[in-house]
Amino acid sequence: MPDPKPEPQPRRAGPPHNPGLRKLIEGKRKWHRPERTLPLPPEGGVPSASGTLASAGSNTGTPTSHASSGTPPSGGSPFLGWHERGYLPHFDAPYVTQFVTFMLHDAFPVTGRREWEGILNESDDSQRRRKVEAWLDRGHGECWLRRADVASLVEEKLRESDGETCRLQDWAVMPNHLHLVVDVWATPL
């Protein structure tokens, strides 16, 4: 009598299990130097154009490094250092410049999964990024950001924190995604 087929396991919720990504993050944590020791701006303070801090107060501190653990120390900095959420490596630290891409929920439609799934499995990081960008630039989905009123609202919201918690260097609003280059200060994105 043949063995009965095992019951299929339900797909677990959340990001996929990716041991290769976890190994990459662990390696980055090992070689990465701790964040530069820069004074944190006091409450309401922001870095000046010269990179020094401009503030009315005198409370300064030193950010603690937690890049080796990947989690913020209890009661310490809210920055995560090198970490992952199952898909891509992330680096989160104060006083760094970040390139961020926001995609609308339908920018990678399930109906096109056969086409874009191969892109995500591309082994060369540079090639994968180029292919993802090319896919996004094809304008899949409803492309709400193509509407001037919606794009203006997004830009207005971006500008609200410019100079308060971060410095916007540049951004591009595309029909179904947004690119942002931002100098992160003492508040995580």
Side-chain angles (χ1 to χ4, degrees):
M1 175 173 197
D3 290 333
K5 278 188 171 182
E7 288 291 316
Q9 296 294 322
R11 187 177 183 283
R12 65 185 177 96
H17 174 68
N18 188 338
L21 178 61
R22 183 140 313 166
K23 186 176 178 180
L24 173 71
I25 295 299
E26 288 170 3
K28 287 183 177 291
R29 288 179 186 156
K30 286 179 186 174
W31 64 257
H32 184 78
R33 65 177 173 75
E35 285 84 356
R36 295 173 297 198
T37 306
L38 295 175
L40 289 174
E43 197 67 32
V46 296
S48 67
S50 66
T52 60
L53 296 173
S55 171
S58 61
N59 298 349
T60 60
T62 304
T64 57
S65 171
H66 51 273
S68 61
S69 68
T71 58
S74 58
S77 173
F79 292 94
L80 298 177
W82 281 106
H83 65 286
E84 50 92 10
R85 295 182 303 212
Y87 298 98
L88 297 170
H90 296 278
F91 181 69
D92 184 32
Y95 309 107
V96 296
T97 300
Q98 296 278 14
F99 177 79
V100 181
T101 298
F102 296 99
M103 298 179 291
L104 298 183
H105 76 282
D106 59 357
F108 276 87
V110 174
T111 57
R113 183 177 182 140
R114 280 192 202 149
E115 188 176 346
W116 57 255
E117 194 168 43
I119 295 171
L120 298 179
N121 293 327
E122 173 69 50
S123 60
D124 182 282
D125 288 340
S126 180
Q127 274 295 97
R128 183 174 51 251
R129 279 192 291 268
R130 283 190 198 105
K131 289 178 179 180
V132 166
E133 284 302 317
W135 175 273
L136 284 172
D137 289 343
R138 288 168 54 190
H140 291 283
E142 293 292 318
C143 296
W144 285 98
L145 298 175
R146 183 175 283 141
R147 290 182 39 185
D149 59 327
V150 176
S152 294
L153 179 62
V154 168
E155 185 173 355
E156 178 184 321
K157 290 297 178 187
L158 282 174
R159 288 176 177 259
E160 281 181 7
S161 60
D162 185 28
E164 296 289 325
T165 60
C166 62
R167 172 66 62 208
L168 295 177
Q169 292 292 333
D170 210 351
W171 61 93
V173 179
M174 307 297 284
N176 65 353
H177 64 287
L178 166 81
H179 297 292
L180 174 66
V181 179
V182 60
D183 292 337
V184 178
W185 292 342
T187 304
L189 292 179

